[in-house]
Amino acid sequence: MSRIDQMFARLREQGECALIPYIPVGYPTVEGSESLIRTIAESGADLIELGVPYADPLADGPTIQEASLKAVSNGVNLKSCIAMVRTLRDKGLETPIVLMGYCNSFLAYGLDNLADDAKEAGIDGFIIPDLPSTMAKPYVEIFEARGLKNIFFLAPTTSEAREAAVVEQGQGFLYCISVTGVTGERKSLPAELRDFIHQARQVTTLPLAVGFGISNEEHVREVSEYADGAIVGSALINVIKQSEPHEIEAKAGEFIRTLKQATRKAATPI
Amino acid sequence: MEGFFGQYGGAYVAETLIRNLEELYGEYERIKDEEDFREEISQLLKNFVGRPTPISALHRITAELGGAKIYLKREDLTHTGAHKINNALAQAVLAKRMGKTRIVAETGAGQHGVAVATACSLLGMTCVVYMGAVDAERQAPNVQRMKLLGAELHLVHSGQKTLKDAISEAIRDWITNVEDTHYLLGSAVGPHPFPNMVRDFQSVIGEEAREQILEAEGRLPDYVIACVGGGSNSIGMFNAFLDDADVKLVGVQAAGEGLESGKHASPLLKGTHGIIQGSLTYMLQDEDGQILETHSIAPGLDYPGAGPQHSYLKDTGRVEYTSVNDREALMAFEELCRKEGILPALESSHAVAYALKLVSQLPKDALVLVNLSGRGDKDLSQAIAALEQLKNAEVLV
């Protein structure tokens, strides 16, 4: 059983929702990145979505655009992201890690090389926001041959016919996009989200993780009532951005601990 | 596979957008051959845009160069002054029939933005235009026109602040407002079905020109030349000639300060395969797949990717792609003003510049058709300043 499957199975037994923070590699600094990722993991992240910095992230709002650009200008590329995971694994980190990045970063690296190097480094899968299920086949074939998972998306706009096709290809978990729009903090979660997740639950046994707009512990608590994972990106980046350099790790760790606590009060998912 | 030209094209976009793209493709396929849709478009093109646009022979330049005969297809004479209106009107009509009430668009040179704002004004739709802050500065007259036409203009301050960044913001807007909004993409780029749809709506250029030159000369041209940024005017021109094997097709990209300087906008000459803004195509990128900055005096050509069909036509060899630098384009800009009484857009000046170079090498009876995709009023202040700079520099040398 893969790290991702084990993690969701364990949490399901415990009646907990997975906390899935997103952080770009090399943000806010290259030197502090490894230690910050480890802090995030040790503070309660159940799976880490490591961002591969891309300067033109079409599905991201201003917060992640800025962080991603900062990491690019810090000189971070896909190769350094893979090296980062290798280092973390060498030092004993067992938290599941998926790389979140845009198609073109992966294409430029070469999909076969990517799959080989990612597997060897201890990466568990990929989240590629500009790779819809209709385009994914060549990628999935290469990833699957190495036991790497490609995480598929469901959006509020996904039709029933497409939902069936996505579910059929799904592996690891499904990334459920909470709202139409790009990533970024929001005041409240949409009222339809609960129904959207319940509807998806009818057609799949895969864990369902919700992302986009989850900004605070109330949101995480709400999502934990009906979903299996809560993905938090922009809100974490904003915590980091608002911290003095010397207190970034402490503040990020505290934020993750608070969010993780909010996942524990969940009712047992169906 | 649907939506591909060989290996190029596709729809590499967020899941959230797939429904809209599928809906757009389905509705477009359903409506495009319907009699009353075709009739509405052709009435608008005739009575509002002023089509057909003529072809004009360049008598003085032809006499002076002593070479082949050059004809210009006069898209500069359309209402709003560029070919962009053909696609903007047709897509706006389609969107309205699909029940959309709000249009978002990107613009580089401002010509597409003006065309979309015009179409929305005519059809009573809400219009939101994204424009790079740098482009807005160098195309000030078009900024004023868009505002006057009632468009809500958003300046984009991310990235290089030019066309690519404007497209990204327009796509983000569309992801957010999927229900009531149509994204009216102005070039033959982006995810399926845009490259097909934009080509189809621009094909009127080549269809008219082919008929007109047959009537004027009794035969097809030896060369058809058009500038290629994203590639909408060129694909609209080339499409009618693709099956005419004896007609050589030439796409002219922007060489900026020179292909070897790295400061250019010629993905079809210097680019590699990659995914940019929803489609797989030739693009300018570094070894990590980051999109490279582009340089051209013509904002409408200042884009790091080519439409996927152009990538395909490059590989098959049906179209020859070449480039013209800023200096050559400026000289052609001035030449056409001085000798033929035509003020071309800086984008179109690239196609003209290549034609001027080419004809002196051709036999006298050769025939060259150039798409003059737009007029240059928008470029006046920038072009005049650049020409003066050029002349001062050459005096010093």
Side-chain angles (χ1 to χ4, degrees), chain A residues 7 17-25 36-51 64 95-100 127 173 175 209-211 214 220 229-237 240 252-253 255-257 259-260 263:
Chain A
M7 181 273 290
C17 176
L19 180 66
I20 307 177
Y22 162 89
I23 178 89
V25 176
L36 177 60
I37 295 165
R38 197 193 315 280
T39 298
I40 290 168
E42 287 164 359
S43 304
D46 296 298
L47 183 153
I48 293 181
E49 198 187 314
L50 269 191
I64 291 180
T95 310
I97 297 176
V98 296
L99 289 188
M100 183 284 193
I127 295 179
F173 64 97
Y175 190 130
V210 176
I214 300 185
V220 171
I231 303 167
V232 181
S234 298
L236 173 61
I237 287 168
I240 293 168
F255 185 59
I256 296 296
R257 274 191 298 278
L259 297 185
K260 182 57 210 171
T263 70

Side-chain angles (χ1 to χ4, degrees), chain B residues 198-208 235-237 239-240:
Chain B
V198 174
R199 176 202 59 213
D200 295 350
F201 289 147
Q202 292 294 3
S203 290
V204 64
I205 303 173
E207 285 160 15
E208 284 177 9
I235 205 70
M237 181 58 131
N239 198 45

Side-chain angles (χ1 to χ4, degrees), chain B residues 27-280:
Chain B
E27 287 295 287
Y28 173 60
E29 286 297 308
R30 189 176 66 79
I31 290 174
K32 70 175 182 183
D33 296 321
E34 279 180 8
E35 191 62 35
D36 68 318
F37 177 71
R38 294 176 69 92
E39 184 56 27
E40 183 174 359
I41 301 296
S42 88
Q43 282 301 317
L44 284 171
L45 289 180
K46 182 175 170 221
N47 300 321
F48 185 73
V49 176
R51 304 204 72 93
T53 58
I55 57 170
S56 306
L58 300 185
H59 297 294
R60 285 187 67 198
I61 287 178
T62 296
E64 193 172 305
L65 292 176
K69 200 164 180 182
I70 306 174
Y71 278 91
L72 298 185
K73 174 64 174 167
R74 301 292 306 278
E75 291 301 293
D76 60 318
L77 294 179
T78 56
H79 177 44
T80 73
H83 73 289
K84 293 291 185 186
I85 190 74
N86 303 327
N87 168 60
L89 261 180
Q91 270 197 55
V93 168
L94 176 67
K96 193 165 184 181
R97 284 176 178 236
M98 287 168 64
K100 305 289 179 183
T101 55
R102 181 175 175 270
I103 298 285
V104 293
E106 82 295 342
T107 196
Q111 289 303 110
H112 177 57
V114 167
V116 174
T118 300
C120 288
S121 162
L122 181 74
L123 298 171
M125 301 173 89
T126 304
C127 179
V128 177
V129 178
Y130 290 87
M131 185 175 198
V134 167
D135 286 341
E137 200 182 313
R138 53 181 174 171
Q139 303 282 310
N142 276 342
V143 170
Q144 290 168 323
R145 287 168 80 193
M146 282 185 274
K147 285 184 178 164
L148 200 53
L149 288 159
E152 185 187 311
L153 190 71
H154 293 271
L155 296 189
V156 178
H157 294 277
S158 57
Q160 205 183 337
K161 304 175 189 174
T162 57
L163 180 57
K164 183 238 330 164
D165 311 296
I167 293 181
S168 293
E169 276 313 306
I171 292 176
R172 290 186 183 113
D173 181 311
W174 197 29
I175 299 179
T176 309
N177 301 292
V178 286
E179 298 298 335
D180 65 345
T181 298
H182 173 67
Y183 174 31
L184 208 163
L185 185 45
S187 196
V189 300
H192 177 68
F194 285 108
N196 297 54
M197 202 167 65
V198 174
R199 176 202 59 213
D200 295 350
F201 289 147
Q202 292 294 3
S203 290
V204 64
I205 303 173
E207 285 160 15
E208 284 177 9
R210 192 173 182 281
E211 215 169 278
Q212 288 163 326
I213 201 148
L214 280 174
E215 195 186 310
E217 294 286 333
R219 70 179 186 94
L220 290 173
D222 299 296
Y223 287 86
V224 175
I225 301 169
C227 65
V228 184
S232 67
N233 89 80
S234 48
I235 205 70
M237 181 58 131
F238 294 162
N239 198 45
F241 297 96
L242 285 176
D243 295 333
D244 299 319
D246 292 337
V247 178
K248 296 183 187 69
L249 306 175
V250 183
V252 185
Q253 295 225 278
E257 295 175 23
L259 285 188
E260 303 314 318
S261 69
K263 294 188 166 183
H264 59 78
S266 299
L268 288 162
L269 300 170
K270 290 288 178 182
T272 48
H273 290 174
I275 290 170
I276 178 168
Q277 297 184 318
S279 71
L280 178 70

Side-chain angles (χ1 to χ4, degrees), chain A:
Chain A
M1 213 193 228
S2 75
R3 284 192 195 96
I4 295 176
D5 296 339
Q6 276 176 17
M7 181 273 290
F8 277 109
R10 176 174 55 80
L11 292 186
R12 195 168 278 207
E13 253 172 48
Q14 296 171 4
E16 271 179 46
C17 176
L19 180 66
I20 307 177
Y22 162 89
I23 178 89
V25 176
Y27 179 80
T29 65
V30 172
E31 311 76 52
S33 189
E34 184 197 326
S35 178
L36 177 60
I37 295 165
R38 197 193 315 280
T39 298
I40 290 168
E42 287 164 359
S43 304
D46 296 298
L47 183 153
I48 293 181
E49 198 187 314
L50 269 191
V52 179
Y54 195 58
D56 293 275
L58 269 183
D60 286 303
T63 304
I64 291 180
Q65 281 178 47
E66 192 192 318
S68 198
L69 199 61
K70 176 109 199 279
V72 171
S73 52
N74 286 345
V76 177
N77 59 13
L78 180 52
K79 201 172 169 189
S80 36
C81 295
I82 294 169
M84 172 68 78
V85 178
R86 191 181 296 121
T87 307
L88 291 165
R89 293 284 184 237
D90 285 348
K91 294 186 181 172
L93 187 76
E94 277 303 311
T95 310
I97 297 176
V98 296
L99 289 188
M100 183 284 193
Y102 286 82
C103 275
N104 208 44
S105 299
F106 300 135
L107 267 192
Y109 195 93
L111 294 182
D112 280 300
N113 287 342
L114 170 69
D116 287 341
D117 294 353
K119 183 68 192 171
E120 183 269 329
I123 289 162
D124 299 292
F126 299 94
I127 295 179
I128 311 177
D130 56 348
L131 188 70
S133 58
T134 33
M135 297 283 125
K137 200 173 165 209
Y139 293 70
V140 170
E141 281 174 1
I142 291 171
F143 295 160
E144 263 184 339
R146 278 82 164 183
L148 297 163
K149 294 188 193 299
N150 183 61
I151 307 304
F152 286 91
F153 291 86
L154 289 178
T157 53
T158 306
S159 66
E160 267 180 49
R162 267 188 78 79
E163 187 183 63
V166 170
V167 162
E168 172 136 348
Q169 295 179 72
Q171 20 180 265
F173 64 97
L174 292 176
Y175 190 130
C176 302
I177 300 170
S178 69
V179 287
T180 59
V182 293
T183 59
E185 288 196 71
R186 285 168 177 86
K187 285 204 176 67
S188 60
L189 296 174
E192 310 79 33
L193 181 56
R194 184 185 293 264
D195 288 344
F196 168 38
I197 301 302
H198 277 303
Q199 150 63 24
R201 194 75 83 189
Q202 307 305 311
V203 293
T204 182
T205 54
L206 281 168
L208 302 171
V210 176
F212 285 41
I214 300 185
S215 310
N216 53 44
E217 60 175 307
E218 283 73 38
H219 292 171
V220 171
R221 191 169 296 122
E222 183 186 327
V223 163
S224 298
E225 287 171 21
Y226 44 79
D228 307 305
I231 303 167
V232 181
S234 298
L236 173 61
I237 287 168
N238 281 329
V239 166
I240 293 168
K241 221 167 85 177
Q242 285 150 20
S243 303
E244 295 295 325
H246 68 274
E247 55 172 24
I248 285 173
E249 277 189 33
K251 296 270 186 184
E254 189 187 317
F255 185 59
I256 296 296
R257 274 191 298 278
T258 311
L259 297 185
K260 182 57 210 171
Q261 191 53 37
T263 70
R264 293 203 172 103
K265 294 176 182 164
T268 311
I270 308 157

